[in-house]
Amino acid sequence: MGGRLPTQQISRNTIAVMRVELACDRIMMAIETQELRSGTGHIQRLWDVSTVDTELSAIQRLFYGSLAQIPQFDAVLVDTKCTHCDEYISLTIDSCLSFARLANNPSLSIVLCVGDSYPGAACIEHMVRHTAGAHAPNGVRMNMVYTQSLEDTSHNMTVRYLLTDATHHMSGAVMDAHGKIILGSMLAAERALVERRVRLQHEGYYPQQNSA
């Protein structure tokens, strides 16, 4: 996998995104930078790796090896490309949350993209909302977007908007690919995020502005 990525490749005008693609026969992870202005469409891939070993232990090693490539990331895009990857989704989220705590990230946005025909969507929605409520006090936002099967989720405007801090108080929301809200943001999570942001301001530390 090589050494860690140089931080100078990530400028103040971009966010660092860990992209995870979950398929039935392959797991792919990549580190990308995206322009903060979501309308620009500019995405630069800095590094990627994939594996055909879909055993959970192998995937976990891949995750931690990939996360070690960068000292801090701003967002995680989890893109499901198959209909039987619930365990992979949970493992991905848990791994990223653990790394974010170790890296002392001031904020982290996780966007979960699920195909609009995913059979277990109701369970994933429940997990998203539970995770959003549990981790909002740590500055973690988690939202879900239903995407179309052939769509490149990295360029979806709804997904890109949620990845940035333009939505720094939105968590637990479920949206369609065009930005229509299916389930609204959770008030308790929003309150926790606001309280944390105010506390950081009073302590003289303000999270990086990743606004679109």
Side-chain angles (χ1 to χ4, degrees), residues 1-10 14-19 29-33 46-47 63-75 99-100 102-103 105:
M1 288 187 216
R4 285 155 66 95
L5 292 170
T7 54
Q8 61 264 30
Q9 293 189 56
I10 304 170
T14 62
I15 58 172
V17 178
M18 174 65 70
R19 176 182 173 88
M29 296 192 70
I31 297 170
E32 301 173 340
T33 59
L46 304 180
W47 182 89
F63 287 161
Y64 280 103
S66 301
L67 292 168
Q69 300 301 310
I70 188 169
Q72 182 169 316
F73 55 95
D74 304 296
F99 184 86
L102 291 172
N105 275 30

PDB file of all heavy atoms in Angstrom, residues 1-10 14-19 29-33 46-47 63-75 99-100 102-103 105:
ATOM      1  N   MET A   1       0.809  -1.206   0.000  1.00  0.00           N
ATOM      2  CA  MET A   1       0.000   0.000   0.000  1.00  0.00           C
ATOM      3  C   MET A   1       0.847   1.262   0.000  1.00  0.00           C
ATOM      4  O   MET A   1       0.356   2.336  -0.234  1.00  0.00           O
ATOM      5  CB  MET A   1      -0.930   0.014   1.218  1.00  0.00           C
ATOM      6  CG  MET A   1      -2.064  -0.970   1.125  1.00  0.00           C
ATOM      7  SD  MET A   1      -3.195  -0.734   2.489  1.00  0.00           S
ATOM      8  CE  MET A   1      -3.672  -2.409   2.792  1.00  0.00           C
ATOM      9  N   GLY A   2       2.135   1.143   0.351  1.00  0.00           N
ATOM     10  CA  GLY A   2       2.972   2.320   0.326  1.00  0.00           C
ATOM     11  C   GLY A   2       2.839   3.139   1.588  1.00  0.00           C
ATOM     12  O   GLY A   2       2.172   2.770   2.546  1.00  0.00           O
ATOM     13  N   GLY A   3       3.523   4.295   1.600  1.00  0.00           N
ATOM     14  CA  GLY A   3       3.509   5.158   2.771  1.00  0.00           C
ATOM     15  C   GLY A   3       2.264   6.003   2.861  1.00  0.00           C
ATOM     16  O   GLY A   3       1.387   5.957   2.011  1.00  0.00           O
ATOM     17  N   ARG A   4       2.206   6.789   3.929  1.00  0.00           N
ATOM     18  CA  ARG A   4       1.053   7.653   4.138  1.00  0.00           C
ATOM     19  C   ARG A   4       1.018   8.769   3.106  1.00  0.00           C
ATOM     20  O   ARG A   4       2.039   9.227   2.624  1.00  0.00           O
ATOM     21  CB  ARG A   4       1.100   8.252   5.550  1.00  0.00           C
ATOM     22  CG  ARG A   4       0.723   7.257   6.625  1.00  0.00           C
ATOM     23  CD  ARG A   4       1.339   7.635   7.946  1.00  0.00           C
ATOM     24  NE  ARG A   4       0.787   8.883   8.461  1.00  0.00           N
ATOM     25  CZ  ARG A   4      -0.220   8.952   9.328  1.00  0.00           C
ATOM     26  NH1 ARG A   4      -0.808   7.850   9.753  1.00  0.00           N
ATOM     27  NH2 ARG A   4      -0.646  10.106   9.797  1.00  0.00           N
ATOM     28  N   LEU A   5      -0.170   9.190   2.778  1.00  0.00           N
ATOM     29  CA  LEU A   5      -0.326  10.255   1.796  1.00  0.00           C
ATOM     30  C   LEU A   5       0.149  11.576   2.379  1.00  0.00           C
ATOM     31  O   LEU A   5      -0.153  11.891   3.534  1.00  0.00           O
ATOM     32  CB  LEU A   5      -1.799  10.386   1.395  1.00  0.00           C
ATOM     33  CG  LEU A   5      -2.374   9.221   0.614  1.00  0.00           C
ATOM     34  CD1 LEU A   5      -3.876   9.373   0.494  1.00  0.00           C
ATOM     35  CD2 LEU A   5      -1.750   9.147  -0.757  1.00  0.00           C
ATOM     36  N   PRO A   6       0.873  12.384   1.620  1.00  0.00           N
ATOM     37  CA  PRO A   6       1.302  13.688   2.131  1.00  0.00           C
ATOM     38  C   PRO A   6       0.112  14.615   2.322  1.00  0.00           C
ATOM     39  O   PRO A   6      -0.730  14.751   1.456  1.00  0.00           O
ATOM     40  CB  PRO A   6       2.244  14.205   1.032  1.00  0.00           C
ATOM     41  CG  PRO A   6       1.854  13.456  -0.201  1.00  0.00           C
ATOM     42  CD  PRO A   6       1.364  12.112   0.259  1.00  0.00           C
ATOM     43  N   THR A   7       0.053  15.258   3.488  1.00  0.00           N
ATOM     44  CA  THR A   7      -1.099  16.102   3.805  1.00  0.00           C
ATOM     45  C   THR A   7      -1.172  17.333   2.914  1.00  0.00           C
ATOM     46  O   THR A   7      -2.242  17.920   2.774  1.00  0.00           O
ATOM     47  CB  THR A   7      -1.032  16.555   5.274  1.00  0.00           C
ATOM     48  OG1 THR A   7       0.240  17.186   5.515  1.00  0.00           O
ATOM     49  CG2 THR A   7      -1.172  15.370   6.206  1.00  0.00           C
ATOM     50  N   GLN A   8      -0.049  17.749   2.279  1.00  0.00           N
ATOM     51  CA  GLN A   8      -0.094  18.940   1.446  1.00  0.00           C
ATOM     52  C   GLN A   8      -0.960  18.743   0.208  1.00  0.00           C
ATOM     53  O   GLN A   8      -1.321  19.700  -0.462  1.00  0.00           O
ATOM     54  CB  GLN A   8       1.318  19.389   1.048  1.00  0.00           C
ATOM     55  CG  GLN A   8       2.105  18.369   0.247  1.00  0.00           C
ATOM     56  CD  GLN A   8       3.014  17.561   1.152  1.00  0.00           C
ATOM     57  OE1 GLN A   8       2.698  17.344   2.322  1.00  0.00           O
ATOM     58  NE2 GLN A   8       4.159  17.135   0.626  1.00  0.00           N
ATOM     59  N   GLN A   9      -1.293  17.480  -0.118  1.00  0.00           N
ATOM     60  CA  GLN A   9      -2.171  17.246  -1.254  1.00  0.00           C
ATOM     61  C   GLN A   9      -3.621  17.624  -0.935  1.00  0.00           C
ATOM     62  O   GLN A   9      -4.454  17.676  -1.822  1.00  0.00           O
ATOM     63  CB  GLN A   9      -2.107  15.776  -1.671  1.00  0.00           C
ATOM     64  CG  GLN A   9      -0.764  15.356  -2.244  1.00  0.00           C
ATOM     65  CD  GLN A   9      -0.810  13.973  -2.834  1.00  0.00           C
ATOM     66  OE1 GLN A   9      -1.632  13.692  -3.707  1.00  0.00           O
ATOM     67  NE2 GLN A   9       0.061  13.102  -2.378  1.00  0.00           N
ATOM     68  N   ILE A  10      -3.918  17.858   0.338  1.00  0.00           N
ATOM     69  CA  ILE A  10      -5.263  18.213   0.755  1.00  0.00           C
ATOM     70  C   ILE A  10      -5.255  19.681   1.163  1.00  0.00           C
ATOM     71  O   ILE A  10      -4.703  20.045   2.191  1.00  0.00           O
ATOM     72  CB  ILE A  10      -5.724  17.322   1.921  1.00  0.00           C
ATOM     73  CG1 ILE A  10      -5.628  15.853   1.503  1.00  0.00           C
ATOM     74  CG2 ILE A  10      -7.141  17.669   2.335  1.00  0.00           C
ATOM     75  CD1 ILE A  10      -5.830  14.876   2.629  1.00  0.00           C
ATOM     76  N   THR A  14     -10.487  21.891  -0.188  1.00  0.00           N
ATOM     77  CA  THR A  14     -10.977  20.552  -0.454  1.00  0.00           C
ATOM     78  C   THR A  14     -11.264  19.821   0.853  1.00  0.00           C
ATOM     79  O   THR A  14     -10.821  20.237   1.923  1.00  0.00           O
ATOM     80  CB  THR A  14      -9.951  19.724  -1.258  1.00  0.00           C
ATOM     81  OG1 THR A  14      -8.742  19.596  -0.484  1.00  0.00           O
ATOM     82  CG2 THR A  14      -9.635  20.385  -2.583  1.00  0.00           C
ATOM     83  N   ILE A  15     -12.002  18.729   0.745  1.00  0.00           N
ATOM     84  CA  ILE A  15     -12.183  17.817   1.864  1.00  0.00           C
ATOM     85  C   ILE A  15     -11.612  16.459   1.482  1.00  0.00           C
ATOM     86  O   ILE A  15     -11.589  16.096   0.304  1.00  0.00           O
ATOM     87  CB  ILE A  15     -13.670  17.672   2.264  1.00  0.00           C
ATOM     88  CG1 ILE A  15     -14.518  17.176   1.086  1.00  0.00           C
ATOM     89  CG2 ILE A  15     -14.208  18.969   2.829  1.00  0.00           C
ATOM     90  CD1 ILE A  15     -15.946  16.834   1.469  1.00  0.00           C
ATOM     91  N   ALA A  16     -11.123  15.741   2.473  1.00  0.00           N
ATOM     92  CA  ALA A  16     -10.610  14.396   2.254  1.00  0.00           C
ATOM     93  C   ALA A  16     -11.734  13.404   2.512  1.00  0.00           C
ATOM     94  O   ALA A  16     -12.324  13.397   3.594  1.00  0.00           O
ATOM     95  CB  ALA A  16      -9.433  14.125   3.190  1.00  0.00           C
ATOM     96  N   VAL A  17     -12.030  12.584   1.515  1.00  0.00           N
ATOM     97  CA  VAL A  17     -13.144  11.637   1.593  1.00  0.00           C
ATOM     98  C   VAL A  17     -12.615  10.212   1.481  1.00  0.00           C
ATOM     99  O   VAL A  17     -11.863   9.893   0.555  1.00  0.00           O
ATOM    100  CB  VAL A  17     -14.174  11.897   0.462  1.00  0.00           C
ATOM    101  CG1 VAL A  17     -15.300  10.870   0.531  1.00  0.00           C
ATOM    102  CG2 VAL A  17     -14.731  13.305   0.563  1.00  0.00           C
ATOM    103  N   MET A  18     -12.984   9.377   2.442  1.00  0.00           N
ATOM    104  CA  MET A  18     -12.721   7.949   2.348  1.00  0.00           C
ATOM    105  C   MET A  18     -13.919   7.316   1.646  1.00  0.00           C
ATOM    106  O   MET A  18     -15.039   7.360   2.160  1.00  0.00           O
ATOM    107  CB  MET A  18     -12.533   7.338   3.732  1.00  0.00           C
ATOM    108  CG  MET A  18     -12.389   5.828   3.736  1.00  0.00           C
ATOM    109  SD  MET A  18     -10.908   5.222   2.902  1.00  0.00           S
ATOM    110  CE  MET A  18      -9.648   5.775   4.055  1.00  0.00           C
ATOM    111  N   ARG A  19     -13.695   6.767   0.472  1.00  0.00           N
ATOM    112  CA  ARG A  19     -14.775   6.158  -0.308  1.00  0.00           C
ATOM    113  C   ARG A  19     -14.680   4.639  -0.187  1.00  0.00           C
ATOM    114  O   ARG A  19     -13.618   4.052  -0.405  1.00  0.00           O
ATOM    115  CB  ARG A  19     -14.671   6.568  -1.775  1.00  0.00           C
ATOM    116  CG  ARG A  19     -15.718   5.904  -2.679  1.00  0.00           C
ATOM    117  CD  ARG A  19     -15.523   6.317  -4.126  1.00  0.00           C
ATOM    118  NE  ARG A  19     -16.402   5.574  -5.005  1.00  0.00           N
ATOM    119  CZ  ARG A  19     -17.646   5.954  -5.318  1.00  0.00           C
ATOM    120  NH1 ARG A  19     -18.121   7.077  -4.825  1.00  0.00           N
ATOM    121  NH2 ARG A  19     -18.398   5.216  -6.107  1.00  0.00           N
ATOM    122  N   MET A  29     -11.593   0.417  -1.557  1.00  0.00           N
ATOM    123  CA  MET A  29     -11.470   1.623  -0.746  1.00  0.00           C
ATOM    124  C   MET A  29     -10.595   2.612  -1.490  1.00  0.00           C
ATOM    125  O   MET A  29      -9.621   2.233  -2.143  1.00  0.00           O
ATOM    126  CB  MET A  29     -10.876   1.314   0.622  1.00  0.00           C
ATOM    127  CG  MET A  29     -11.741   0.409   1.473  1.00  0.00           C
ATOM    128  SD  MET A  29     -11.187   0.328   3.193  1.00  0.00           S
ATOM    129  CE  MET A  29     -11.609   1.985   3.749  1.00  0.00           C
ATOM    130  N   ALA A  30     -10.942   3.885  -1.386  1.00  0.00           N
ATOM    131  CA  ALA A  30     -10.173   4.932  -2.047  1.00  0.00           C
ATOM    132  C   ALA A  30     -10.154   6.175  -1.183  1.00  0.00           C
ATOM    133  O   ALA A  30     -11.056   6.393  -0.363  1.00  0.00           O
ATOM    134  CB  ALA A  30     -10.771   5.258  -3.418  1.00  0.00           C
ATOM    135  N   ILE A  31      -9.117   6.976  -1.359  1.00  0.00           N
ATOM    136  CA  ILE A  31      -9.040   8.289  -0.717  1.00  0.00           C
ATOM    137  C   ILE A  31      -9.115   9.326  -1.825  1.00  0.00           C
ATOM    138  O   ILE A  31      -8.330   9.297  -2.778  1.00  0.00           O
ATOM    139  CB  ILE A  31      -7.747   8.442   0.090  1.00  0.00           C
ATOM    140  CG1 ILE A  31      -7.715   7.410   1.223  1.00  0.00           C
ATOM    141  CG2 ILE A  31      -7.627   9.852   0.650  1.00  0.00           C
ATOM    142  CD1 ILE A  31      -6.392   7.316   1.930  1.00  0.00           C
ATOM    143  N   GLU A  32     -10.088  10.207  -1.712  1.00  0.00           N
ATOM    144  CA  GLU A  32     -10.324  11.231  -2.729  1.00  0.00           C
ATOM    145  C   GLU A  32     -10.362  12.607  -2.083  1.00  0.00           C
ATOM    146  O   GLU A  32     -10.698  12.738  -0.903  1.00  0.00           O
ATOM    147  CB  GLU A  32     -11.656  10.981  -3.444  1.00  0.00           C
ATOM    148  CG  GLU A  32     -11.745   9.635  -4.139  1.00  0.00           C
ATOM    149  CD  GLU A  32     -13.129   9.346  -4.701  1.00  0.00           C
ATOM    150  OE1 GLU A  32     -14.113   9.975  -4.248  1.00  0.00           O
ATOM    151  OE2 GLU A  32     -13.227   8.479  -5.586  1.00  0.00           O
ATOM    152  N   THR A  33     -10.031  13.605  -2.863  1.00  0.00           N
ATOM    153  CA  THR A  33     -10.281  14.979  -2.437  1.00  0.00           C
ATOM    154  C   THR A  33     -11.389  15.550  -3.310  1.00  0.00           C
ATOM    155  O   THR A  33     -11.443  15.279  -4.512  1.00  0.00           O
ATOM    156  CB  THR A  33      -9.028  15.866  -2.553  1.00  0.00           C
ATOM    157  OG1 THR A  33      -8.575  15.884  -3.907  1.00  0.00           O
ATOM    158  CG2 THR A  33      -7.925  15.353  -1.645  1.00  0.00           C
ATOM    159  N   LEU A  46      -6.559  10.029  -4.848  1.00  0.00           N
ATOM    160  CA  LEU A  46      -5.171  10.004  -4.431  1.00  0.00           C
ATOM    161  C   LEU A  46      -4.630   8.592  -4.256  1.00  0.00           C
ATOM    162  O   LEU A  46      -3.419   8.362  -4.404  1.00  0.00           O
ATOM    163  CB  LEU A  46      -5.002  10.762  -3.104  1.00  0.00           C
ATOM    164  CG  LEU A  46      -5.480  12.212  -3.073  1.00  0.00           C
ATOM    165  CD1 LEU A  46      -5.244  12.808  -1.698  1.00  0.00           C
ATOM    166  CD2 LEU A  46      -4.784  13.037  -4.139  1.00  0.00           C
ATOM    167  N   TRP A  47      -5.517   7.651  -3.934  1.00  0.00           N
ATOM    168  CA  TRP A  47      -5.049   6.316  -3.587  1.00  0.00           C
ATOM    169  C   TRP A  47      -6.237   5.381  -3.584  1.00  0.00           C
ATOM    170  O   TRP A  47      -7.353   5.784  -3.249  1.00  0.00           O
ATOM    171  CB  TRP A  47      -4.415   6.393  -2.198  1.00  0.00           C
ATOM    172  CG  TRP A  47      -3.821   5.124  -1.664  1.00  0.00           C
ATOM    173  CD1 TRP A  47      -2.552   4.665  -1.834  1.00  0.00           C
ATOM    174  CD2 TRP A  47      -4.484   4.161  -0.828  1.00  0.00           C
ATOM    175  NE1 TRP A  47      -2.381   3.481  -1.159  1.00  0.00           N
ATOM    176  CE2 TRP A  47      -3.551   3.150  -0.529  1.00  0.00           C
ATOM    177  CE3 TRP A  47      -5.769   4.065  -0.314  1.00  0.00           C
ATOM    178  CZ2 TRP A  47      -3.866   2.052   0.253  1.00  0.00           C
ATOM    179  CZ3 TRP A  47      -6.102   2.967   0.470  1.00  0.00           C
ATOM    180  CH2 TRP A  47      -5.136   1.978   0.744  1.00  0.00           C
ATOM    181  N   PHE A  63      -9.542  -2.206   5.805  1.00  0.00           N
ATOM    182  CA  PHE A  63     -10.019  -0.918   6.286  1.00  0.00           C
ATOM    183  C   PHE A  63      -8.944  -0.187   7.081  1.00  0.00           C
ATOM    184  O   PHE A  63      -8.629   0.970   6.821  1.00  0.00           O
ATOM    185  CB  PHE A  63     -11.261  -1.105   7.169  1.00  0.00           C
ATOM    186  CG  PHE A  63     -12.502  -1.461   6.397  1.00  0.00           C
ATOM    187  CD1 PHE A  63     -13.585  -2.036   7.039  1.00  0.00           C
ATOM    188  CD2 PHE A  63     -12.598  -1.230   5.045  1.00  0.00           C
ATOM    189  CE1 PHE A  63     -14.733  -2.375   6.338  1.00  0.00           C
ATOM    190  CE2 PHE A  63     -13.731  -1.562   4.325  1.00  0.00           C
ATOM    191  CZ  PHE A  63     -14.804  -2.134   4.985  1.00  0.00           C
ATOM    192  N   TYR A  64      -8.379  -0.863   8.063  1.00  0.00           N
ATOM    193  CA  TYR A  64      -7.399  -0.194   8.910  1.00  0.00           C
ATOM    194  C   TYR A  64      -6.125   0.134   8.149  1.00  0.00           C
ATOM    195  O   TYR A  64      -5.496   1.169   8.403  1.00  0.00           O
ATOM    196  CB  TYR A  64      -7.106  -1.033  10.152  1.00  0.00           C
ATOM    197  CG  TYR A  64      -8.169  -0.874  11.209  1.00  0.00           C
ATOM    198  CD1 TYR A  64      -9.135  -1.857  11.409  1.00  0.00           C
ATOM    199  CD2 TYR A  64      -8.247   0.282  11.983  1.00  0.00           C
ATOM    200  CE1 TYR A  64     -10.130  -1.698  12.364  1.00  0.00           C
ATOM    201  CE2 TYR A  64      -9.241   0.450  12.932  1.00  0.00           C
ATOM    202  CZ  TYR A  64     -10.178  -0.552  13.119  1.00  0.00           C
ATOM    203  OH  TYR A  64     -11.170  -0.386  14.057  1.00  0.00           O
ATOM    204  N   GLY A  65      -5.732  -0.719   7.217  1.00  0.00           N
ATOM    205  CA  GLY A  65      -4.585  -0.398   6.383  1.00  0.00           C
ATOM    206  C   GLY A  65      -4.836   0.823   5.518  1.00  0.00           C
ATOM    207  O   GLY A  65      -3.951   1.651   5.312  1.00  0.00           O
ATOM    208  N   SER A  66      -6.053   0.953   5.029  1.00  0.00           N
ATOM    209  CA  SER A  66      -6.412   2.100   4.196  1.00  0.00           C
ATOM    210  C   SER A  66      -6.506   3.372   5.028  1.00  0.00           C
ATOM    211  O   SER A  66      -6.031   4.434   4.618  1.00  0.00           O
ATOM    212  CB  SER A  66      -7.747   1.834   3.499  1.00  0.00           C
ATOM    213  OG  SER A  66      -7.682   0.675   2.706  1.00  0.00           O
ATOM    214  N   LEU A  67      -7.119   3.279   6.187  1.00  0.00           N
ATOM    215  CA  LEU A  67      -7.270   4.455   7.040  1.00  0.00           C
ATOM    216  C   LEU A  67      -5.921   4.977   7.514  1.00  0.00           C
ATOM    217  O   LEU A  67      -5.767   6.174   7.774  1.00  0.00           O
ATOM    218  CB  LEU A  67      -8.156   4.113   8.234  1.00  0.00           C
ATOM    219  CG  LEU A  67      -9.628   3.832   7.910  1.00  0.00           C
ATOM    220  CD1 LEU A  67     -10.341   3.233   9.112  1.00  0.00           C
ATOM    221  CD2 LEU A  67     -10.338   5.096   7.468  1.00  0.00           C
ATOM    222  N   ALA A  68      -4.938   4.084   7.604  1.00  0.00           N
ATOM    223  CA  ALA A  68      -3.606   4.502   8.048  1.00  0.00           C
ATOM    224  C   ALA A  68      -2.867   5.324   6.995  1.00  0.00           C
ATOM    225  O   ALA A  68      -1.810   5.885   7.276  1.00  0.00           O
ATOM    226  CB  ALA A  68      -2.773   3.274   8.404  1.00  0.00           C
ATOM    227  N   GLN A  69      -3.413   5.423   5.793  1.00  0.00           N
ATOM    228  CA  GLN A  69      -2.765   6.180   4.727  1.00  0.00           C
ATOM    229  C   GLN A  69      -2.892   7.690   4.916  1.00  0.00           C
ATOM    230  O   GLN A  69      -2.197   8.461   4.261  1.00  0.00           O
ATOM    231  CB  GLN A  69      -3.366   5.808   3.366  1.00  0.00           C
ATOM    232  CG  GLN A  69      -3.234   4.338   2.999  1.00  0.00           C
ATOM    233  CD  GLN A  69      -1.794   3.889   2.946  1.00  0.00           C
ATOM    234  OE1 GLN A  69      -0.970   4.522   2.302  1.00  0.00           O
ATOM    235  NE2 GLN A  69      -1.494   2.803   3.630  1.00  0.00           N
ATOM    236  N   ILE A  70      -3.769   8.108   5.778  1.00  0.00           N
ATOM    237  CA  ILE A  70      -4.050   9.532   5.898  1.00  0.00           C
ATOM    238  C   ILE A  70      -4.273   9.876   7.375  1.00  0.00           C
ATOM    239  O   ILE A  70      -4.933   9.129   8.095  1.00  0.00           O
ATOM    240  CB  ILE A  70      -5.294   9.903   5.042  1.00  0.00           C
ATOM    241  CG1 ILE A  70      -5.487  11.415   4.981  1.00  0.00           C
ATOM    242  CG2 ILE A  70      -6.552   9.213   5.536  1.00  0.00           C
ATOM    243  CD1 ILE A  70      -6.531  11.826   3.934  1.00  0.00           C
ATOM    244  N   PRO A  71      -3.687  10.968   7.866  1.00  0.00           N
ATOM    245  CA  PRO A  71      -3.800  11.278   9.295  1.00  0.00           C
ATOM    246  C   PRO A  71      -5.194  11.734   9.714  1.00  0.00           C
ATOM    247  O   PRO A  71      -5.577  11.565  10.865  1.00  0.00           O
ATOM    248  CB  PRO A  71      -2.774  12.392   9.494  1.00  0.00           C
ATOM    249  CG  PRO A  71      -2.635  13.024   8.144  1.00  0.00           C
ATOM    250  CD  PRO A  71      -2.808  11.902   7.163  1.00  0.00           C
ATOM    251  N   GLN A  72      -5.938  12.302   8.800  1.00  0.00           N
ATOM    252  CA  GLN A  72      -7.275  12.771   9.147  1.00  0.00           C
ATOM    253  C   GLN A  72      -8.127  12.856   7.890  1.00  0.00           C
ATOM    254  O   GLN A  72      -7.646  13.236   6.829  1.00  0.00           O
ATOM    255  CB  GLN A  72      -7.217  14.151   9.814  1.00  0.00           C
ATOM    256  CG  GLN A  72      -8.582  14.665  10.250  1.00  0.00           C
ATOM    257  CD  GLN A  72      -8.463  15.898  11.137  1.00  0.00           C
ATOM    258  OE1 GLN A  72      -7.635  15.942  12.042  1.00  0.00           O
ATOM    259  NE2 GLN A  72      -9.274  16.907  10.873  1.00  0.00           N
ATOM    260  N   PHE A  73      -9.376  12.467   7.995  1.00  0.00           N
ATOM    261  CA  PHE A  73     -10.286  12.602   6.870  1.00  0.00           C
ATOM    262  C   PHE A  73     -11.543  13.307   7.357  1.00  0.00           C
ATOM    263  O   PHE A  73     -11.879  13.297   8.539  1.00  0.00           O
ATOM    264  CB  PHE A  73     -10.603  11.245   6.239  1.00  0.00           C
ATOM    265  CG  PHE A  73     -11.143  10.216   7.196  1.00  0.00           C
ATOM    266  CD1 PHE A  73     -12.495  10.027   7.343  1.00  0.00           C
ATOM    267  CD2 PHE A  73     -10.276   9.437   7.943  1.00  0.00           C
ATOM    268  CE1 PHE A  73     -12.983   9.083   8.224  1.00  0.00           C
ATOM    269  CE2 PHE A  73     -10.758   8.485   8.814  1.00  0.00           C
ATOM    270  CZ  PHE A  73     -12.123   8.315   8.971  1.00  0.00           C
ATOM    271  N   ASP A  74     -12.245  13.939   6.424  1.00  0.00           N
ATOM    272  CA  ASP A  74     -13.401  14.767   6.769  1.00  0.00           C
ATOM    273  C   ASP A  74     -14.725  14.047   6.591  1.00  0.00           C
ATOM    274  O   ASP A  74     -15.713  14.404   7.226  1.00  0.00           O
ATOM    275  CB  ASP A  74     -13.413  16.034   5.899  1.00  0.00           C
ATOM    276  CG  ASP A  74     -12.124  16.829   6.023  1.00  0.00           C
ATOM    277  OD1 ASP A  74     -11.845  17.314   7.132  1.00  0.00           O
ATOM    278  OD2 ASP A  74     -11.399  16.948   5.021  1.00  0.00           O
ATOM    279  N   ALA A  75     -14.749  13.058   5.699  1.00  0.00           N
ATOM    280  CA  ALA A  75     -16.028  12.417   5.385  1.00  0.00           C
ATOM    281  C   ALA A  75     -15.787  10.998   4.889  1.00  0.00           C
ATOM    282  O   ALA A  75     -14.696  10.654   4.415  1.00  0.00           O
ATOM    283  CB  ALA A  75     -16.775  13.225   4.321  1.00  0.00           C
ATOM    284  N   PHE A  99     -11.555   4.919  14.053  1.00  0.00           N
ATOM    285  CA  PHE A  99     -10.415   5.681  13.560  1.00  0.00           C
ATOM    286  C   PHE A  99     -10.609   7.174  13.823  1.00  0.00           C
ATOM    287  O   PHE A  99      -9.665   7.870  14.195  1.00  0.00           O
ATOM    288  CB  PHE A  99     -10.229   5.444  12.062  1.00  0.00           C
ATOM    289  CG  PHE A  99      -9.011   6.126  11.503  1.00  0.00           C
ATOM    290  CD1 PHE A  99      -7.777   5.508  11.551  1.00  0.00           C
ATOM    291  CD2 PHE A  99      -9.096   7.382  10.934  1.00  0.00           C
ATOM    292  CE1 PHE A  99      -6.649   6.137  11.052  1.00  0.00           C
ATOM    293  CE2 PHE A  99      -7.978   8.018  10.424  1.00  0.00           C
ATOM    294  CZ  PHE A  99      -6.742   7.386  10.485  1.00  0.00           C
ATOM    295  N   ALA A 100     -11.836   7.661  13.648  1.00  0.00           N
ATOM    296  CA  ALA A 100     -12.106   9.082  13.872  1.00  0.00           C
ATOM    297  C   ALA A 100     -11.834   9.462  15.321  1.00  0.00           C
ATOM    298  O   ALA A 100     -11.298  10.540  15.609  1.00  0.00           O
ATOM    299  CB  ALA A 100     -13.550   9.402  13.503  1.00  0.00           C
ATOM    300  N   LEU A 102      -9.680   7.930  17.348  1.00  0.00           N
ATOM    301  CA  LEU A 102      -8.241   7.879  17.550  1.00  0.00           C
ATOM    302  C   LEU A 102      -7.550   9.096  16.945  1.00  0.00           C
ATOM    303  O   LEU A 102      -6.577   9.609  17.494  1.00  0.00           O
ATOM    304  CB  LEU A 102      -7.674   6.598  16.931  1.00  0.00           C
ATOM    305  CG  LEU A 102      -8.045   5.288  17.629  1.00  0.00           C
ATOM    306  CD1 LEU A 102      -7.572   4.099  16.799  1.00  0.00           C
ATOM    307  CD2 LEU A 102      -7.458   5.232  19.028  1.00  0.00           C
ATOM    308  N   ALA A 103      -8.045   9.547  15.789  1.00  0.00           N
ATOM    309  CA  ALA A 103      -7.450  10.695  15.104  1.00  0.00           C
ATOM    310  C   ALA A 103      -7.928  12.019  15.674  1.00  0.00           C
ATOM    311  O   ALA A 103      -7.469  13.080  15.262  1.00  0.00           O
ATOM    312  CB  ALA A 103      -7.779  10.640  13.612  1.00  0.00           C
ATOM    313  N   ASN A 105     -10.762  13.571  15.250  1.00  0.00           N
ATOM    314  CA  ASN A 105     -11.402  14.402  14.242  1.00  0.00           C
ATOM    315  C   ASN A 105     -12.392  15.354  14.897  1.00  0.00           C
ATOM    316  O   ASN A 105     -13.215  14.933  15.707  1.00  0.00           O
ATOM    317  CB  ASN A 105     -12.175  13.527  13.241  1.00  0.00           C
ATOM    318  CG  ASN A 105     -11.286  13.015  12.138  1.00  0.00           C
ATOM    319  OD1 ASN A 105     -10.099  12.817  12.344  1.00  0.00           O
ATOM    320  ND2 ASN A 105     -11.842  12.804  10.970  1.00  0.00           N
TER     321      ASN A 105
END
